[in-house]
Amino acid sequence: MAELTTYILTALAWFAGGIVGGATGLGSVMVAMPLMTMAHSPGDAVLVSCIVSFYASIHQSCSYRRHLRRDDLKPLAIGAFPGCLLGVLVLKIAPVQVLEFMVCAMLICFVAMQLNKRMAQWSVSDAPSIAIGAGGVFGFVSGSVAMGGGPLAIYVMLRHWDPNRARANMSALWVFTSVLTCMAQAGAGMYTLPLLKIGLVGIAGTAAGQYIGVRLGRRIDLVLFRRILLLFLSAAAALLFSRAMG
């Protein structure tokens, strides 16, 4: 009975996460995590999230492939590679709670900046060095606490990308980092057969959710998209703080 409850909670968590992720390009982990932590330890919840995110990123990338900008993606991917490996390494030697507090502080600072009208208009250039740095932060957070959507959303907002361009680029980057993260975690011996079985249940849930979410995403304009991203960042900060306090 306990195992069945775990499977049901996992499927429901990722169904809801799939809807949000399919519509916005991010946020699936944040939505799924509250239910996941009801059935799993924080460490196992992160590992299952990485497994499910691997499938989710491939599906999402295929859905928005026509809007992909390779010039946007390349420097982000270059930075994400070492960042992801570093995140996995740090996850093995540092408490998850400490990492969650660090990411939470970053998100809170950015949300506070966006509440100021002048700061909300700030933007960053398309210089490769900036994109590489953003990719590094994204990769580190993805590999450590499976919440890389936060730093990525910050970069998207500072670049002022339109929704389709943002979703396409973010999804393609998620494919790249998900492969790296899963390979690194598997190489470190973090996966077990029970976790892989739970991951398959999560994949089934997110597949159904993304089918709905992608169709909802077509109705989102730039203004609404930025508001959703800001709401996502606020909720992600609250979730990370709650998880860290445990």
Side-chain angles (χ1 to χ4, degrees):
M1 181 63 69
E3 185 177 24
L4 178 60
T5 301
T6 297
Y7 288 158
I8 291 174
L9 287 175
T10 300
L12 289 176
W14 284 103
F15 175 73
I19 293 176
V20 174
T24 66
L26 62 133
S28 57
V29 175
M30 182 203 70
V31 173
M33 197 57 73
L35 279 177
M36 289 290 291
T37 52
M38 291 175 60
H40 307 281
S41 67
D44 285 351
V46 168
L47 291 173
V48 172
S49 296
C50 291
I51 296 171
V52 180
S53 294
F54 175 58
Y55 164 81
S57 61
I58 294 175
H59 180 272
Q60 186 89 345
S61 182
C62 291
S63 299
Y64 292 105
R65 63 187 180 278
R66 290 179 296 175
H67 305 281
L68 178 64
R69 301 282 189 89
R70 290 178 174 81
D71 291 341
D72 293 335
L73 182 62
K74 184 177 179 180
L76 287 170
I78 291 173
F81 178 72
C84 182
L85 296 180
L86 180 61
V88 172
L89 175 62
V90 172
L91 180 61
K92 291 196 69 175
I93 62 178
V96 174
Q97 289 81 1
V98 173
L99 300 172
E100 289 172 339
F101 271 127
M102 292 171 57
V103 179
C104 177
M106 176 182 65
L107 298 183
I108 290 174
C109 289
F110 182 78
V111 169
M113 289 172 56
Q114 290 297 302
L115 296 179
N116 182 292
K117 291 184 178 180
R118 178 180 296 180
M119 291 183 177
Q121 301 303 314
W122 286 1
S123 63
V124 295
S125 72
D126 57 357
S129 58
I130 295 177
I132 290 173
V137 176
F138 163 74
F140 177 83
V141 177
S142 296
S144 57
V145 298
M147 290 285 282
L152 191 55
I154 291 175
Y155 181 73
V156 166
M157 293 186 71
L158 290 175
R159 287 295 306 275
H160 298 275
W161 283 343
D162 67 79
N164 284 330
R165 181 180 180 183
R167 286 187 290 244
N169 289 335
M170 288 191 294
S171 299
L173 185 62
W174 275 114
V175 173
F176 177 75
T177 54
S178 292
V179 170
L180 293 178
T181 300
C182 289
M183 289 179 61
Q185 290 173 341
M190 294 183 176
Y191 292 142
T192 62
L193 182 58
L195 279 179
L196 293 176
K197 290 170 62 177
I198 294 170
L200 291 176
V201 173
I203 287 173
T206 201
Q210 282 190 319
Y211 178 83
I212 298 172
V214 168
R215 284 151 182 78
L216 292 176
R218 295 170 182 166
R219 304 182 181 184
I220 298 176
D221 60 17
L222 179 58
V223 174
L224 178 58
F225 184 68
R226 288 182 64 83
R227 290 176 179 173
I228 291 174
L229 290 184
L230 193 60
L231 178 62
F232 161 74
L233 291 172
S234 301
L239 174 60
L240 284 169
F241 183 78
S242 176
R243 282 168 51 183
M245 294 298 291

